[in-house]
Amino acid sequence: MFCSVGRRGRLLRNAKETIGKTGSIIGTDLQSTAPALQFCDIQNTVPRITDPNYVDTIIEIAKANDAKAITTLIDPEIEILAENYDRFKELGIIPLCPAKESAIYCFDKYELYKYLTKNGIPTPLTFHDLDEFKQALSDGKISLPVFMKPICGSGSVGAHKVNTLEQVEADWNSGEHDYIIQELMTGGDCDADVYVDTISHKAVAAFSKRKIETRIGGASKTISFKDQKLFDFIERICSIFTFNGPLDMDFFIKDGEYYLSEINPRFGGAYLHAYGAGVDFFKLIVNNINGIENPVEIGNYDEDILMMMYDDVVIAHKNDLVNSDFKLL
């Protein structure tokens, strides 16, 4: 069961390719016009995730359709699933989400920074206090330009480079976002799609890729690569969290070392690359549903495989929508 499917049609198509005739894809969204719903076997419209009846609604849908696993495709819903982890488990549904504490760390970028630093995981120097940042700047612990982004942001909204202290102060005091300030990492970056087995809670698959081209919200062209140092780092990171299922990890590179930037505990927007290169998380999910612990096969793919995104559309009759009572703009 995929919640908040939105525009992720290709991901749902890939899921159906793997599951085939052995299972069904259940999809939910606030809007019946969400394109990805058209690729689900069972379609449902639901209230907003902030609605007090939201969790009960998705649980009823899961029960009615005999769902065996549940996940979400948007960041704000991850913590909601995590808070209800035990409810899903009691119903025999595997929540493909972190434990609650791990979910909080992943959504709050400053809490993540503090937790990673406490556990010796390299990560960019980060501040959530303007005076502390200015003191560090004065002491030479950080230098301009820097990078600012919302503490609980998603999809790169509000993230930007800042060249002067005056602009840092102006952006900080604008009230537009609750910002964090980070050292600007200029040595390159990459990301990895990771699957954490729901039985062993260990990373069992990882697909790493470098960005060739980036659009708002994520990479649009990527190329696969392998580095055992990165794979070891991924396993080390996963050992300090309680994860279940797919992860999207972002990394920076500095002086030949990897620094963890963010963890999104869901299918990343560019997971399509991993699937196309043969790293099939849906197969791993089905194994876990059937009580099978997946063996560790990190790095089991070819290097120099390219992904190049392009636009596509869904064409459907209004009467074929799960809920045709929608407002026109």
Side-chain angles (χ1 to χ4, degrees), residues 153 168 325:
V168 169
D325 183 21

Side-chain angles (χ1 to χ4, degrees), residues 4-35:
S4 304
V5 295
R7 296 164 55 89
R8 304 286 295 275
R10 182 59 182 269
L11 179 74
L12 276 297
R13 284 170 57 190
N14 290 160
K16 288 186 69 173
E17 287 171 6
T18 292
I19 293 175
K21 297 180 180 179
T22 63
S24 298
I25 303 297
I26 308 161
T28 73
D29 200 89
L30 173 66
Q31 299 178 327
S32 61
T33 51

Side-chain angles (χ1 to χ4, degrees), residues 47-79:
R48 292 187 181 276
I49 63 172
T50 54
D51 189 290
N53 296 317
Y54 178 74
V55 174
D56 288 340
T57 300
I58 62 172
I59 284 178
E60 285 306 311
I61 292 170
K63 288 167 58 178
N65 294 284
D66 195 26
K68 300 301 182 184
I70 187 169
T71 190
T72 179
L73 300 182
I74 60 172
D75 293 326
E77 192 173 2
I78 294 168
E79 196 170 334

Side-chain angles (χ1 to χ4, degrees), residues 107-113 124-130 133 146-153 158-160 162 168 171-172 177-183 261-262:
F107 193 56
D108 186 313
K109 295 177 175 61
Y110 190 62
E111 289 300 318
L112 178 63
Y113 165 75
L125 183 60
T126 302
F127 298 89
H128 189 225
D129 183 290
L130 183 59
F133 163 71
V146 294
F147 198 73
M148 295 180 67
K149 59 185 178 182
I151 192 170
C152 293
H160 61 289
V162 184
V168 169
D171 291 353
W172 185 274
H177 297 286
D178 182 6
Y179 281 112
I180 56 172
I181 306 168
Q182 292 186 320
E183 64 175 312
S261 172
E262 296 183 11

Side-chain angles (χ1 to χ4, degrees), residues 117-154:
T117 302
K118 175 184 174 182
N119 285 277
I121 302 293
T123 190
L125 183 60
T126 302
F127 298 89
H128 189 225
D129 183 290
L130 183 59
D131 291 334
E132 287 184 8
F133 163 71
K134 291 165 70 174
Q135 185 62 53
L137 188 64
S138 177
D139 294 342
K141 296 179 180 178
I142 193 170
S143 60
L144 293 163
V146 294
F147 198 73
M148 295 180 67
K149 59 185 178 182
I151 192 170
C152 293
S154 181

Side-chain angles (χ1 to χ4, degrees), residues 109 112 116 122-124 149 156 188-194 209 211 217-219 230 233-234 237 247-253 258-264 266 268-270:
K109 295 177 175 61
L112 178 63
L116 294 175
T123 190
K149 59 185 178 182
S156 300
D189 62 350
C190 63
D191 59 48
D193 298 292
V194 180
K209 54 195 182 291
K211 299 170 186 174
L230 177 58
F233 190 35
I234 288 169
I237 292 165
L247 309 173
D248 173 30
M249 292 186 176
D250 295 331
F251 300 93
F252 290 114
I253 303 167
Y258 291 102
Y259 286 66
L260 178 64
S261 172
E262 296 183 11
I263 307 174
N264 300 303
R266 53 165 172 75

